[in-house]
Amino acid sequence: MAYESKTAGKASDELFEAILALETVEECYRFFDDVCTIGEMVAIAQRFQVAKMLRKKATFNHIVAETGASTATISRVNRSLNYGSNGYNLILDRLAESEKPES
């Protein structure tokens, strides 16, 4: 069964196709600097760091100290990791796989 997002639509599809067309980290910075406010980018990056730390079983107190995220943000990310659309886990699994040394 295909995944159906609550935000699916032509505009979202076009946005994600544009993101998939980016080829380098610099291109990502250029695009997201134009699309997002600094606050939005900081919040997205922070949530991603929180997700990585939660997957490594870091405590909420440690995550707060390291990232400055509120416990409410940490709770939301934790809920997404455990009961969400599996997006965090999908990308974190892929990143972990790409970091494995080749045999």
Side-chain angles (χ1 to χ4, degrees):
M1 184 162 125
Y3 176 73
E4 292 189 35
S5 173
K6 297 172 197 80
T7 60
K10 186 176 186 318
S12 292
D13 288 353
E14 289 176 358
L15 171 64
F16 294 135
E17 290 295 333
I19 292 168
L20 289 169
L22 298 168
E23 295 180 357
T24 66
V25 171
E26 181 182 338
E27 288 180 359
C28 289
Y29 274 109
R30 288 172 179 268
F31 181 73
F32 283 96
D33 280 350
D34 286 347
V35 172
C36 297
T37 65
I38 292 170
E40 290 166 337
M41 276 307 304
V42 168
I44 292 167
Q46 182 186 68
R47 287 183 207 125
F48 186 65
Q49 294 306 309
V50 168
K52 287 172 43 179
M53 294 177 78
L54 285 168
R55 284 258 303 224
K56 291 180 179 177
K57 306 297 184 200
T59 65
F60 275 38
N61 287 339
H62 180 71
I63 296 169
V64 168
E66 288 291 313
T67 67
S70 69
T71 55
T73 295
I74 298 167
S75 292
R76 278 193 302 273
V77 172
N78 192 49
R79 195 168 36 256
S80 292
L81 276 169
N82 293 304
Y83 307 109
S85 301
N86 208 36
Y88 281 122
N89 288 311
L90 175 72
I91 195 63
L92 291 171
D93 288 345
R94 284 190 186 158
L95 291 173
E97 188 65 32
S98 71
E99 292 173 359
K100 286 184 181 177
E102 292 187 30
S103 306

